[in-house]
Amino acid sequence: MNATLHPISQPITHPDDIPGTTIFGPAQAMRGYALNAMCYSFNNAANREAFRADEAAYCARFGLSDEQRDAVARRDVLGMIAAGGNIYYLAKLAGIFGLNVQDVGALQTGTSVDGFRQMLLDQGSAYRNTVEGEKVHG
Amino acid sequence: MAEIIGGYFTSHVPAIGGAMHRGAQQDPYWQPFFDGLPPVRELLARKKPDVAVVFSNDHGLNFFLDTMPTFAVGAAPSYANADEGWGLPLYKTFPGHPALSWHIIEALVEDEFDVTMCQKMLVDHALSIPFELAWPGVEAWPIRIVPIGINTVQHPLPSARRTLALGRAVNRAIASWAGDEKVLIVGTGGLSHQLDGARAGFMNPSYDQFCLDHLAADPDALTRDSIHDIVRQAGTQGVEILNWIAARGALGEAAQEVHRNYHLPISNTAAATVWLEPEPA
């Protein structure tokens, strides 16, 4: 079989790629399989304990790539996503690190957790101001 | 003959469960969201549905990337929650309705929707939280369920058009069911939010308003965007609007909005609670 028939070795790019966004498509699914499988295993409390006890050994057991092991060791969420991590599974790893979705948001956007929370709150305020403005001005 | 008594749509952010657990519903942060629920509870108390057909998406509890069904229909006698990775208290087990499940499966496949059939299925917060919101504090669920899972995890996802068509096929299936149950349709998730990437924290009230404004009267308007364009406008997890679109389809041809609550943010999400009433043809 001609390997060129399977050109899925890079993330699928789209002429209208969405900034700051990775679509979890075939390339990511293949690249991230080991990392996501490890994260899926964390649905079991004993597996979470085993990871806590020896991170490197646990990552090795699931056959993580160097890139994936490095991103996990550095708590680098964007690095995990680049290495094929899917947020639905990475959320379980984030839980082990004691990170909630605002913490994870702050890590990915390079802001403080307070700054990230405020950014979310500001979107609510902006929306309500617009709605109020429409009520006043028709 | 079975009767569809309404469509209940709400967000399923895990933090909602945390807020309920802590009793934080009346905190200023949470109140604007929880204020959307009393009308739903009143409607449910009045209409007393027997069974709910629920469209939601698995979050890595029942399905992994080894086998990822596009559309999965539960046909189990019961549906338990399990540890989702965070060691949180488990949600209550739901009783199933296998006879109705198999009827829907047979009708869908006859209708050329080749769904995955699941005699065992764990359900996660995406399914449990809307029911905790609807019947807070009950000892046991007063309703049986038929869960229908839509893949929002692994692209390619089903198109919005296909998802609406699936919902409409479920509506036809319910219409041909011989039982006399009162059926509630539930759509969970959304609205706009994005947890991952440098765009994490993205929400989009104007797209959400577009969806809410068209859901009842013109759901086909929500199907003109590609999945890529839905992700662009709603965020990577905002594609959970697919669950809402399918649920809208299951209500039948005509529907009207009876209740709507919209608020942002809760956690990283723009959240909404809606009740639609089907209109007789």
Side-chain angles (χ1 to χ4, degrees), chain A residues 16 29 36 38 44-48 56 58 62 69 74-75 85 87-88 92 97-98 104 113 116 119 123 132:
Chain A
D16 303 312
N36 292 316
M38 182 179 84
N44 181 309
N47 291 337
R48 298 197 290 273
Y58 200 84
F62 278 83
R69 274 188 303 213
R74 288 188 294 107
R75 286 26 176 176
I87 194 69
Y88 286 97
K92 301 168 196 294
F97 297 151
V104 171
V113 176
F116 186 78
M119 179 270 275
Q123 292 184 67
E132 281 307 306

Side-chain angles (χ1 to χ4, degrees), chain A residues 24 29 43 48 92 102 108 123, chain B residues 83-84 155 195 197 201 268:
Chain A
F24 190 81
N43 284 342
R48 298 197 290 273
K92 301 168 196 294
Q102 281 89 51
Q108 296 177 100
Q123 292 184 67
Chain B
D83 190 337
E84 296 182 39
H155 292 248
L195 302 178
N268 293 19

